[in-house]
Amino acid sequence: MTTSYPASVDATTYGAWCMKALWNPSAPTPPVYSEDCLFINVHTKSEYIENGEKKPILIFIHGGGFQGGNGMEEFDSLISNEGVVMFSIQYRVGPYGFMYNHDSNEEHKGNWGLLDQQMALAWVQVFGGEFGGDINQVTIAGCSAGGASIWWHLTMPSSWPYFHRAISTGIGVSGSYNSTAAIEVNRMYNNYVGEQMGCADIACLRTKTPEELNPLFRAVPTMYYIPGEFHDAGYMPIVDGVLKSKTNLESLHAGEVRPNTPISWNYNRDDVWNLLDGQFALMVVRLEELADKLDDLTALQTSSGFEIPSDYTDQMLRYTYGEEFYSAYIGPIFSCPNGPNDEIVDCKPAMNQFSNARVWSCNTQYGLSGAPLTDPNIGPIYPMELQDENCVDDTRVCHCHDKIVVFGNKPIYDGPSQKEIEYRIASREYWTVYPKRNL
């Protein structure tokens, strides 16, 4: 950890974003991306520093699917009105943060992005007080991949000394990142990229430029994947037996979480709605039984006007889970057959409901049904499903909308109704209580 600098540092502007595989250097006004990107952005007030009164600390971890994002998040009302000091952190993402080095003899072979986060938490413990923060009142928080990161740190004992409360928004507790499958897919990624670049190891890949590597990094997830999964294995956190030996879901169910830690777990009723855009055809072709039907699906999408037309969701779920399991548990709730006279119907609502249950709500409810129900040293845990409709003509509650509510970023101005303004103010005041005291 760097504790001093040989010269002054301009800390009045944001630093570079962490390099990602989707970086486009030809964009009209591209942000500055760099592999030198591990910045912590501090949001405080001069009076907090000068008067010596320590304020509760909020450390925010950005989202982006572990593939992108940046630490430029600002929750001004928390700092200006509610007496909170905020630190937003950056960490390496995608292949730059989660490429797994199978041939390394070091203790850590991957999960560099998580280790970056952990180092940032440790840095705040050392220096947070210099900015008016109370290092004995630290709440970690994040949305989407940032929310998932919160559950990694809650279930990683090596992170426990650095925080006291946690807020997860826009995500559930994941049972993915299976060690064997994810590590093997990552090996396939590395082998392909290495072959294309003429490199026998990761040390060689480190000598290549992002311009050379990124086209290959973008290509490999479509070539190698875990059968039956509805998403890329991707360059993401992996259960590697070093940081952790269980998935976050397994750890939660077993009660292997930071003890006596208030946890606010939040998600949105339609969290997955806008994440489904453009993804359904990719899900379908990854199933061997449907791989040759892409042209038929594309034609049906065009003729019906539906991105997810019937009855492809039913076919996909049957092949993935088997007829017996599908008929007993999935079909009665999530089935989306053709309409009368074989009419094609829109199955996006059904797929949204299934995916939200699978990845967000049901996973987490299973985790909470284990040790958290009986172990008095776990939690307390406060769950919330947000139903404050904000997208698709105010008919859906889209991904990470809960972040805006929980962290008081819904703007207060003359446009909304008086009832809406009162709701926004009440939400801001209610949630600000959380990082200030034990609940």
Side-chain angles (χ1 to χ4, degrees):
M1 180 189 296
T2 300
T3 58
S4 62
Y5 293 89
S8 62
V9 176
D10 180 6
T12 61
T13 59
Y14 286 108
W17 299 8
C18 285
M19 179 56 65
K20 63 178 183 177
L22 292 175
W23 171 58
N24 179 10
S26 301
T29 54
V32 176
Y33 284 92
S34 173
E35 293 184 69
D36 181 10
C37 63
L38 299 183
F39 298 105
I40 300 175
N41 298 310
V42 184
H43 303 265
T44 188
K45 295 173 72 172
S46 58
E47 63 191 70
Y48 298 166
I49 300 173
E50 295 165 358
N51 66 19
E53 181 183 352
K54 301 303 183 184
K55 302 294 184 180
I57 290 173
L58 178 76
I59 303 177
F60 190 82
I61 304 175
H62 70 74
F66 293 109
Q67 307 305 305
N70 62 80
M72 294 175 63
E73 200 80 48
E74 297 180 357
F75 302 129
D76 291 341
S77 69
L78 293 182
I79 291 87
S80 300
N81 304 319
E82 306 298 342
V84 173
V85 175
M86 175 184 169
F87 297 81
S88 59
I89 68 178
Q90 294 195 164
Y91 55 97
R92 286 171 289 178
V93 295
Y96 299 93
F98 297 99
M99 177 178 280
Y100 192 83
N101 189 354
H102 301 80
D103 301 321
S104 173
N105 293 320
E106 300 295 326
E107 177 186 12
H108 294 289
K109 302 178 188 296
N111 288 326
W112 314 113
L114 287 177
L115 291 168
D116 293 342
Q117 295 176 12
Q118 191 177 80
M119 179 59 71
L121 301 184
W123 188 94
V124 173
Q125 273 296 304
V126 175
F127 297 107
E130 303 298 323
F131 300 96
D134 183 351
I135 62 172
N136 295 310
Q137 280 201 89
V138 176
T139 300
I140 58 172
C143 194
S144 195
S149 298
I150 299 306
W151 286 104
W152 280 90
H153 294 297
L154 279 166
T155 55
M156 283 166 38
S158 55
S159 291
W160 292 355
Y162 308 130
F163 67 95
H164 311 92
R165 307 177 189 88
I167 302 174
S168 171
T169 61
I171 201 68
V173 184
S174 178
S176 298
Y177 314 112
N178 171 271
S179 56
T180 302
I183 287 174
E184 286 310 305
V185 171
N186 207 287
R187 187 193 300 273
M188 295 176 194
Y189 287 0
N190 296 351
N191 289 345
Y192 175 81
V193 174
E195 288 169 4
Q196 299 302 307
M197 295 301 304
C199 284
D201 53 36
I202 289 180
C204 172
L205 291 178
R206 288 182 175 138
T207 68
K208 307 301 180 182
T209 66
E211 288 87 348
E212 295 173 289
L213 292 169
N214 282 345
L216 300 172
F217 289 148
R218 291 193 291 268
V220 288
T222 65
M223 303 168 64
Y224 306 103
Y225 47 85
I226 301 173
E229 284 290 346
F230 301 146
H231 57 81
D232 299 335
Y235 287 106
M236 294 186 182
I238 289 175
V239 177
D240 61 358
V242 180
L243 283 179
K244 288 190 61 179
S245 298
K246 295 178 180 176
T247 67
N248 294 337
L249 185 61
E250 291 168 335
S251 295
L252 177 60
H253 193 267
E256 297 170 4
V257 296
R258 189 183 188 280
N260 303 308
T261 304
I263 302 169
S264 171
W265 166 56
N266 312 275
Y267 70 100
N268 303 283
R269 187 191 65 204
D270 306 301
D271 240 314
V272 79
W273 183 270
N274 51 349
L275 303 182
L276 288 173
D277 293 345
Q279 295 298 307
F280 186 67
L282 181 62
M283 299 177 192
V284 167
V285 298
R286 289 184 172 179
L287 289 169
E288 183 179 352
E289 297 87 346
L290 297 175
D292 61 350
K293 292 191 176 184
L294 180 59
D295 290 342
D296 294 341
L297 172 60
T298 302
L300 189 57
Q301 288 174 320
T302 302
S303 63
S304 68
F306 301 138
E307 182 184 357
I308 306 180
S310 56
D311 67 338
Y312 274 87
T313 56
D314 289 3
Q315 293 185 57
M316 183 180 70
L317 295 173
R318 278 191 171 96
Y319 287 129
T320 300
Y321 294 99
E323 182 62 43
E324 183 178 352
F325 189 89
Y326 172 86
S327 298
Y329 300 105
I330 297 178
I333 303 173
F334 304 109
S335 177
C336 185
N338 290 344
N341 302 316
D342 252 5
E343 174 191 0
I344 302 302
V345 301
D346 183 5
C347 288
K348 187 172 182 179
M351 193 64 196
N352 167 70
Q353 186 183 16
F354 168 77
S355 300
N356 229 50
R358 176 183 177 271
V359 182
W360 274 258
S361 58
C362 290
N363 255 11
T364 310
Q365 288 177 45
Y366 166 76
L368 297 175
S369 72
L373 279 182
T374 57
D375 188 341
N377 295 313
I378 296 175
I381 300 174
Y382 305 95
M384 180 188 74
E385 178 189 88
L386 187 68
Q387 300 191 23
D388 174 23
E389 294 167 342
N390 73 309
C391 62
V392 195
D393 297 324
D394 288 338
T395 63
R396 298 287 171 181
V397 194
C398 286
H399 188 52
C400 277
H401 180 50
D402 50 346
K403 174 185 71 174
I404 300 172
V405 175
V406 169
F407 299 111
N409 259 23
K410 277 208 156 194
I412 309 298
Y413 61 101
D414 291 337
S417 67
Q418 183 62 32
K419 183 178 181 180
E420 174 66 16
I421 291 174
E422 290 173 357
Y423 161 70
R424 295 182 183 191
I425 294 174
S427 297
R428 176 181 297 178
E429 293 175 349
Y430 173 80
W431 284 103
T432 305
V433 171
Y434 188 84
K436 290 182 176 179
R437 63 182 178 88
N438 288 316
L439 300 177

